[in-house]
Amino acid sequence: MENASVPSVDNIRFDGSARTRWRLGFDRVIGWLLPLLFLVAILPILSLVYYVSARALPTLSWTVLTSTSPYRTDALGVPIIGTFEVMLLATLLAVLFGLFGGIATAEFLSDRVAGWVRMSANLLVGTPSIIIGYFGYFTFVLYFGWGLSYIAGVFTLSFFMTPYVFRTADLAFTSVPRHIREAALGSGAKPSQYILKVGTPIAFPQILTGVFLAMAIGVGETAPIVLTTQPGVLVPQTVYSPVTFLTQLIWENFAQSQSSGLQVLAFQAAFLIMVVVIALNIVVRLISSRYRKRLEGLYA
Amino acid sequence: MRWLRWVAALPALAPAAILIGILVALVGATSFTNFGWGFFGFHWDPPTDQWGIMVFLIGSFLTAVPALVFSMLIGIGIAVASATYLPGYLTRILDPFVDLLAGIPSVVYGIWAFVIVAPVFGSVLEPWLVMHVAFIPGFGPPTRTDGLGVLISIFILTLMALPITTLLIRDALRSVPRDLWESGLALGATRWEVVRRVAIPYGRRGIFSAAFLGFGRAFGETVAVAMVLGAATNLPKNVYDTGNTVAAQMFELLDSAIGGTGSPQILAALAEMALVLLGISLVVNVLGRRLIASLYTEQVQGL
């Protein structure tokens, strides 16, 4: 890694002039001040993790997590199951679109066309989530007439997650070492054989990181879900049923009232999402670091 | 078998198709309702048929631009510290915190800011600012006691844009060849002088792209801003006052539209606001992405 710090300059010969003294002193002061800026990132994170946990944990119990009774307003069973069901199908769809799309972009498209496709994936990542939410609302909820429903939320969220899977799948296949790709194709493998037997095993860990990343981003997303589903008191019975998503519960509880019971529930939901997102990020980090090591071991 | 290749290549169009689909759906949803120039006016009052979004547009810039400036300055500082001044083991411990900032969902930021941070702003920071820096235009009284408003929105948006700007600037600085660093030092420059005169000019494209992409993120942020900016329909009088942004206003409006108060005109206005927001974010993102020499570095993935 280029991570190594630049060699120290403490042994510059000091010629005694005021200008040199100023330059060296300035460098030293900057060297102390700039790292302090890390605090701007670290203190809010610690505060956020601490306060969300402190508000959520004292009242978080097994019953709160598992009770699916429609008469309880202090339980998270229904939204947890709802979130799980939405994420399951949305991830499947995002993998379907993103994985095949990414592989096709890396393997079948000319550089020119691939450049355009990659640009559009990047633009999609940069599109505000509210826009995706509106797209889902106008298309699935109103135009297709699905109403505010499980299935409308799933499709909207999957469109939101697709570019993340797409980009990692594309990146994973384009970064398969050239000599391996050419050895496979040169020894007579069909493109399909190359993709299935050579490319996929090499690219798999990286694709997995993309999927986890998309899940981490999807599970924390609020606007697309709030605009395309409505909270229900039951777990969804059909694909057109209402479904409650954890982030949606936070927003609804927040918007409806600031009563303390609803606020505690919102903090519990926030705590769960935070834990899931941080866990997914750690998994991504572990896989990618292990993967890099293995790559270096094999090909360096 | 050539046609099979074409079929296999079809899924590659997914992202482009989604993007075009979004455009078509939004344009269709406007029903080509013409609000005239009043759409960019200052008066938003649906019952009296006034649809000016200028207040929200100004609100978006008023929160996103200062947030971008802060997150660029802090981002450059962090990236320089992690690329030169800190030893490797410390950067390996500290850098993940910045990445983690990108992973926290915006609704979690929102509830944290509303419940925990806003009271601190309202009871400590803002009275202090009024006492000591009221001479700066926009920083004078009155304050609100609940702490909601422009200032805390800028704070939250700075945090949310910070990981993007920091990661891209870090990439830009790491792309500077080691030879250049070392020849600078060998000529007798201090580390700061090498950063200032060699590394930052060399990585300027990456740094500019960080500014564009960070701005895109801050400009389009919805839920957290909707929670802390206070949903006003007039321009903020000072930095402590409430306001609204395009994205947050759209979010709150549809929530009420779903509640059954939606009229065709509101939906058309929402679709046109969405197009304005999408247009700005596309322009910013195209500029930002074009500036990055390699569109695909592993570090950019997470954004």
Side-chain angles (χ1 to χ4, degrees):
Chain A
M1 277 302 277
E2 285 297 303
N3 205 355
S5 58
V6 173
S8 164
V9 284
D10 288 342
N11 55 353
I12 288 182
R13 176 149 330 148
F14 181 42
D15 62 11
S17 74
R19 166 125 182 92
T20 310
R21 185 180 302 153
W22 157 250
R23 288 174 51 221
L24 293 181
F26 188 77
D27 185 58
R28 178 153 298 183
V29 171
I30 285 277
W32 279 105
L33 287 184
L34 287 187
L36 289 182
L37 284 174
F38 267 105
L39 291 178
V40 178
I42 291 172
L43 289 181
I45 280 278
L46 293 182
S47 159
L48 189 146
V49 170
Y50 172 76
Y51 279 109
V52 171
S53 311
R55 297 267 170 146
L57 283 179
T59 46
L60 200 64
S61 65
W62 186 245
T63 0
V64 170
L65 291 179
T66 52
S67 170
T68 55
S69 158
Y71 304 107
R72 288 189 64 144
T73 51
D74 61 341
L76 289 170
V78 173
I80 288 175
I81 295 175
T83 307
F84 187 76
E85 288 182 348
V86 170
M87 285 306 294
L88 190 70
L89 197 53
T91 308
L92 272 177
L93 286 175
V95 169
L96 193 72
F97 301 140
L99 185 59
F100 287 110
I103 294 176
T105 306
E107 295 297 327
F108 297 125
L109 293 190
S110 67
D111 285 350
R112 216 177 113 85
V113 183
W116 281 102
V117 170
R118 281 168 192 155
M119 186 59 156
S120 61
N122 283 332
L123 290 181
L124 211 51
V125 165
T127 303
S129 60
I130 181 96
I131 303 278
I132 312 269
Y134 264 92
F135 163 70
Y137 178 74
F138 285 128
T139 310
F140 303 125
V141 176
L142 296 183
Y143 190 72
F144 289 1
W146 292 346
L148 298 167
S149 58
Y150 169 77
I151 193 74
V154 161
F155 268 90
T156 311
L157 197 60
S158 75
F159 279 14
F160 189 78
M161 290 160 65
T162 297
Y164 295 94
V165 183
F166 176 92
R167 293 201 307 183
T168 31
D170 177 21
L171 180 67
F173 267 81
T174 20
S175 56
V176 169
R178 200 185 162 85
H179 58 271
I180 292 183
R181 184 169 190 275
E182 288 179 354
L185 296 176
S187 54
K190 283 186 265 181
S192 59
Q193 285 172 324
Y194 161 73
I195 290 172
L196 286 176
K197 303 212 165 141
V198 182
T200 306
I202 296 177
F204 185 72
Q206 215 171 348
I207 291 174
L208 209 58
T209 63
V211 175
F212 283 140
L213 197 77
M215 287 170 72
I217 286 161
V219 79
E221 206 43 67
T222 313
I225 286 288
V226 170
L227 299 187
T228 52
T229 67
Q230 56 184 334
V233 289
L234 294 170
V235 295
Q237 312 292 308
T238 70
V239 292
Y240 299 113
S241 301
V243 61
T244 316
F245 204 72
L246 279 168
T247 53
Q248 185 185 24
L249 178 132
I250 301 176
W251 168 255
E252 299 288 339
N253 280 7
F254 172 88
Q256 279 168 12
S257 94
Q258 262 83 58
S259 89
S260 61
L262 291 179
Q263 220 179 56
V264 166
L265 201 65
F267 269 105
Q268 288 170 339
F271 176 76
L272 290 181
I273 296 170
M274 199 174 75
V275 168
V276 169
V277 167
I278 291 177
L280 282 170
N281 273 303
I282 290 174
V283 170
V284 165
R285 196 164 277 275
L286 285 180
I287 297 178
S288 59
S289 67
R290 177 174 297 183
Y291 166 64
R292 195 173 295 131
K293 271 192 208 110
R294 206 193 71 191
L295 257 191
E296 276 165 10
L298 270 177
Y299 306 118
Chain B
M1 293 297 271
R2 264 198 87 72
W3 62 273
L4 206 62
R5 245 182 119 82
W6 281 104
V7 173
L10 266 184
L13 298 177
I18 295 176
L19 205 60
I20 293 169
I22 290 174
L23 270 173
V24 170
L26 290 181
V27 169
T30 62
S31 321
F32 303 98
T33 313
N34 189 354
F35 294 105
W37 287 110
F39 193 63
F40 291 101
F42 283 87
H43 298 287
W44 173 271
D45 191 27
T48 59
D49 207 29
Q50 287 181 301
W51 306 92
I53 62 165
M54 194 45 107
V55 168
F56 313 127
L57 263 180
I58 292 177
S60 290
F61 281 101
L62 215 56
T63 49
V65 171
L68 175 72
V69 171
F70 289 135
S71 70
M72 281 302 285
L73 291 176
I74 300 166
I76 289 177
I78 291 181
V80 167
S82 108
T84 60
Y85 287 103
L86 287 177
Y89 68 93
L90 264 183
T91 38
R92 271 191 292 280
I93 296 171
L94 293 177
D95 282 348
F97 278 96
V98 181
D99 303 353
L100 198 57
L101 219 48
I104 304 285
S106 58
V107 70
V108 178
Y109 273 118
I111 193 170
W112 169 71
F114 185 84
V115 179
I116 311 291
V117 185
V120 179
F121 267 61
S123 61
V124 183
L125 181 68
E126 292 179 359
W128 188 88
L129 286 174
V130 168
M131 290 268 284
H132 294 92
V133 296
F135 56 88
I136 306 174
F139 281 81
T143 58
R144 294 159 52 88
T145 46
D146 60 6
L148 301 182
V150 175
L151 205 59
I152 192 170
S153 306
I154 293 174
F155 170 71
I156 289 296
L157 288 178
T158 304
L159 281 185
M160 299 182 87
L162 187 60
I164 295 186
T165 54
T166 306
L167 289 183
L168 289 169
I169 297 168
R170 201 158 69 197
D171 272 8
L173 292 182
R174 283 190 185 152
S175 74
V176 177
R178 210 177 157 74
D179 294 359
L180 282 184
W181 288 106
E182 292 190 357
S183 28
L185 294 172
L187 286 170
T190 62
R191 284 174 295 185
W192 172 250
E193 285 161 348
V194 177
V195 166
R196 172 79 185 66
R197 308 273 175 92
V198 180
I200 289 181
Y202 187 94
R204 63 186 180 280
R205 287 165 66 91
I207 294 174
F208 279 123
S209 82
F212 281 115
L213 297 186
F215 180 77
R217 169 90 190 232
F219 196 82
E221 177 49 43
T222 311
V223 180
V225 175
M227 285 167 136
V228 296
L229 191 47
T233 49
N234 51 313
L235 281 175
K237 288 186 284 294
N238 58 22
V239 295
Y240 320 111
D241 202 6
T242 55
N244 217 344
T245 68
V246 178
Q249 170 69 7
M250 285 168 62
F251 190 55
E252 282 147 8
L253 270 184
L254 197 70
D255 223 30
S256 72
I258 289 173
T261 51
S263 69
Q265 279 222 302
I266 283 204
L267 290 182
L270 283 170
E272 289 180 20
M273 280 164 86
L275 282 173
V276 170
L277 182 59
L278 181 63
I280 294 174
S281 93
L282 282 184
V283 167
V284 169
N285 276 284
V286 167
L287 289 174
R289 295 286 175 189
R290 290 198 72 126
L291 279 171
I292 312 179
S294 72
L295 286 170
Y296 266 56
T297 66
E298 199 169 329
Q299 282 85 353
V300 203
Q301 240 183 73
L303 313 177

